[in-house]
Amino acid sequence: MFSWFANPHRFLTLSSWLAPVCYALGALLIAWGLWQGLWIVPKDEYQGGDIMRVMFLHVPAAWLAMASYMGMAMMSFIWFIWRHEVADIAAKAIAPLGATWTALCLATGSIWGKPTWGTWWQWDDARMMSVLFMFFLFLGYMALRAAMDTRQKAARAGAILAMVGAINVPLIKFSVDLFTSLHQDASVITVDGPKMAAVYLWPLLASGLGHSLLFAGLVMTLMRAEIWQRRAAQIRARLMAGD
Amino acid sequence: MSASPILSAFRQALTEAWAGGAGALMPLGFFAGAAVLVPLGIGTDPTTLRAVGPGILWVALALASLVTLERIFQADVEDGALDLWLQTGAPASMIAAAKAFAHWLTAGLPLAILSPIFALMFQAKADTSLLAHMGLYALGGLAFFFWGGVGAALSATVRRGGLLISLIALPLYVPTAIFGALAMSGGPGSTGAPLFLAASTLFALAVAPFAMGAALRLAAD
Amino acid sequence: MLPEFDKNAAFIWASYALGAIMIGGAILTVMMKARLAKAELARTQARAEEARQK
């Protein structure tokens, strides 16, 4: 199944229509989620009033922070075992975009935290800490790839690091949870609340799916750019050899 | 046959650490520098110092390991020693583990052994818990050196890889730092933390050598 | 018509403005990269074609 996608040419054909579809559907879903989230749904007094409307941006970003890292690690694994070039191109494309959404998750969480907790940064919050370390994993991955002098080396080193990071994520998560559960401040309002009202659920799901589709579309476009770049480099190399 | 390159890598790492002036003394100086500068920076109040002491020593230990690790594999790539070891068919993961272990022996373990002195400088009470802490620093340091070794092996072919190693190692150091500091906090959760620390160090010993080995084979190509 | 929020309106607008800037920036960068890569490939292919005809 992986091999079918492994052909760059097939990927270019597939993504030429799939990426625009992702953009269109993603834009629609995000727009609907925003409209519902900002205009329609009532504010939740239990969650601190209108500030919970940040949820429709923050939660999709948090979901993508986790999902994109896992996606990158999976692509790295596939590349490492089967050496499918497209998988490496995917991992490389996911990194900067995943880092962007992870940073967005941190920033919106921080903005949400200020009126709710009275502080921009809460060391006691396990989710903030985990996402921060996720962000560092992305940064390390990108820096490592950028430091390698050949494409092949960048792919191999990146894949090793992404896999090491991925198997460490549960341990990091566990340690951070333990750390924060002992420091928990009773006055902290839990952002998830006891249960989420159904009015918020649909806009939230729409936003989450919309962001995921937009993300997938961007990854595909970035992958296309990388494939074109590699082709151009190949042709240049052949021209040089021919001279 | 296959054991000898591992042994020679281990021995070479030991001599390398002691030779060239700085060597094993450099992380120690780093550790001492942190221990001396912190009271100057945050004030000399004994209760404050006692509270932050163990945490500062964990941070100093982590940073000292990074200082040592920057060049441990780079020199082997440059002078061809790595190629020779790999040509013998010895597993790269064992060679890497031997080197990381040797550097822990020369740079990590001395810091752990001297930790009671630094703890006393941070106004810790002089009792047997300092000896137990010694064991915890040694254990946690082992995890630091193995995860840091992954960063070092991955950036072995990169000139000036120091920043890269720090960036790679930082998230991997988190569990060890948390469990280690928690075990010494004396607060809730400090009874289970030494076990978690031991488990996470075992995890590092089990996983890091393979990552280092894969990275070294890449560096040798 | 913009919706009216309670005392935390500034925080909400700040998050969404930040989201728009970051996501918009990501989209722009990606699109520009793809366009540049495509143009570069076309140029290179044209050069290869020229070289072959000579």
Side-chain angles (χ1 to χ4, degrees):
Chain A
M1 183 204 135
F2 298 133
S3 313
W4 193 85
F5 289 109
N7 180 333
H9 186 72
R10 212 173 275 146
F11 172 79
L12 282 180
T13 324
L14 178 78
S15 61
S16 69
W17 59 267
L18 194 55
V21 168
C22 281
Y23 288 131
L25 277 178
L28 269 178
L29 283 167
I30 291 175
W32 186 76
L34 271 184
W35 173 61
Q36 287 282 319
L38 289 181
W39 276 270
I40 304 300
V41 298
K43 63 179 172 182
D44 187 343
E45 290 302 343
Y46 179 81
Q47 305 283 357
D50 273 326
I51 190 69
M52 46 58 77
R53 294 180 196 276
V54 176
M55 174 167 77
F56 302 103
L57 180 61
H58 176 72
V59 173
W63 147 250
L64 274 174
M66 304 282 163
S68 62
Y69 192 82
M70 285 303 137
M72 188 176 87
M74 253 168 59
M75 287 300 148
S76 299
F77 181 74
I78 292 171
W79 184 85
F80 203 73
I81 303 293
W82 291 285
R83 289 290 195 270
H84 290 331
E85 202 192 1
V86 174
D88 173 56
I89 294 171
K92 187 183 178 187
I94 290 173
L97 293 167
T100 306
W101 260 262
T102 309
L104 184 61
C105 172
L106 283 172
T108 52
S110 180
I111 292 173
W112 191 348
K114 179 63 184 163
T116 325
W117 299 328
T119 170
W120 296 104
W121 186 258
Q122 183 94 346
W123 285 103
D124 293 354
D125 189 68
R127 287 160 302 184
M128 278 190 128
M129 300 268 287
S130 300
V131 172
L132 177 67
F133 297 128
M134 205 74 106
F135 184 60
F136 279 118
L137 285 172
F138 274 122
L139 287 190
Y141 179 86
M142 286 192 287
L144 182 63
R145 281 197 84 120
M148 291 290 150
D149 46 11
T150 66
R151 219 167 55 200
Q152 193 70 9
K153 279 188 174 180
R156 269 171 77 180
I160 294 169
L161 181 59
M163 288 189 291
V164 168
I167 55 173
N168 266 284
V169 163
L171 185 64
I172 295 175
K173 186 100 183 52
F174 172 72
S175 65
V176 168
D177 282 344
L178 185 71
F179 175 73
T180 53
S181 66
L182 299 171
H183 292 244
Q184 204 65 248
D185 187 351
S187 71
V188 169
I189 299 169
T190 53
V191 195
D192 292 332
K195 60 174 169 34
M196 198 181 308
V199 276
Y200 304 128
L201 192 62
W202 287 111
L204 191 59
L205 282 179
S207 305
L209 190 60
H211 276 263
S212 306
L213 286 171
L214 172 64
F215 190 92
L218 286 174
V219 168
M220 280 189 259
T221 306
L222 208 50
M223 286 171 72
R224 291 164 71 81
E226 177 77 21
I227 291 173
W228 288 328
Q229 264 171 15
R230 290 186 183 191
R231 285 218 175 136
Q234 261 169 8
I235 297 173
R236 269 198 303 274
R238 264 208 303 271
L239 277 177
M240 295 276 261
D243 283 345
Chain B
M1 154 74 195
S2 78
S4 65
I6 299 171
L7 263 180
S8 92
F10 180 75
R11 240 181 271 127
Q12 185 252 31
L14 282 184
T15 44
E16 179 185 274
W18 289 112
L25 289 179
M26 189 159 86
L28 202 58
F30 197 86
F31 201 57
V36 172
L37 283 176
V38 164
L40 298 181
I42 65 168
T44 53
D45 176 39
T47 26
T48 313
L49 285 181
R50 198 173 297 141
V52 302
I56 299 286
L57 291 189
W58 276 109
V59 173
L61 182 62
L63 295 178
S65 74
L66 289 177
V67 171
T68 325
L69 289 167
E70 185 175 347
R71 281 194 54 84
I72 68 169
F73 295 118
Q74 232 164 36
D76 300 331
V77 174
E78 280 161 14
D79 67 11
L82 183 65
D83 293 323
L84 286 180
W85 290 330
L86 290 181
Q87 267 166 21
T88 62
S93 56
M94 293 316 290
I95 291 173
K99 287 213 70 168
F101 185 71
H103 279 274
W104 170 78
L105 269 185
T106 50
L109 194 57
L111 298 191
I113 291 174
L114 289 174
S115 70
I117 298 175
F118 294 109
L120 287 176
M121 286 172 74
F122 280 107
Q123 311 289 351
K125 285 196 199 68
D127 56 21
T128 48
S129 71
L130 290 186
L131 295 177
H133 288 184
M134 218 155 105
L136 293 177
Y137 284 123
L139 204 58
L142 199 54
F144 283 158
F145 274 82
F146 270 71
W147 287 131
V150 174
L154 279 172
S155 45
T157 53
V158 179
R159 249 187 296 271
R160 297 176 157 275
L163 179 67
L164 198 54
I165 296 175
S166 313
L167 198 55
I168 291 171
L170 177 74
L172 304 177
Y173 278 13
V174 168
T176 304
I178 288 179
F179 295 141
L182 212 56
M184 297 180 185
S185 68
S190 61
T191 44
L195 280 180
F196 291 137
L197 181 68
S200 66
T201 301
L202 277 181
F203 181 65
L205 293 180
V207 174
F210 296 101
M212 285 192 277
L216 283 188
R217 276 195 299 273
L218 157 67
D221 275 358
Chain C
M1 271 292 270
L2 288 178
E4 301 234 333
F5 298 136
D6 59 15
K7 60 186 191 314
N8 293 323
F11 291 101
I12 303 172
W13 290 123
S15 333
Y16 279 97
L18 196 71
I21 291 170
M22 286 177 73
I23 295 174
I27 294 174
L28 275 183
T29 323
V30 167
M31 293 299 163
M32 217 152 72
K33 249 194 165 156
R35 191 163 292 188
L36 284 178
K38 197 170 191 178
E40 170 71 18
L41 178 61
R43 252 201 317 276
T44 321
Q45 272 168 340
R47 233 176 61 209
E49 195 60 31
E50 228 170 78
R52 212 174 38 201
Q53 278 167 0
K54 260 179 212 168

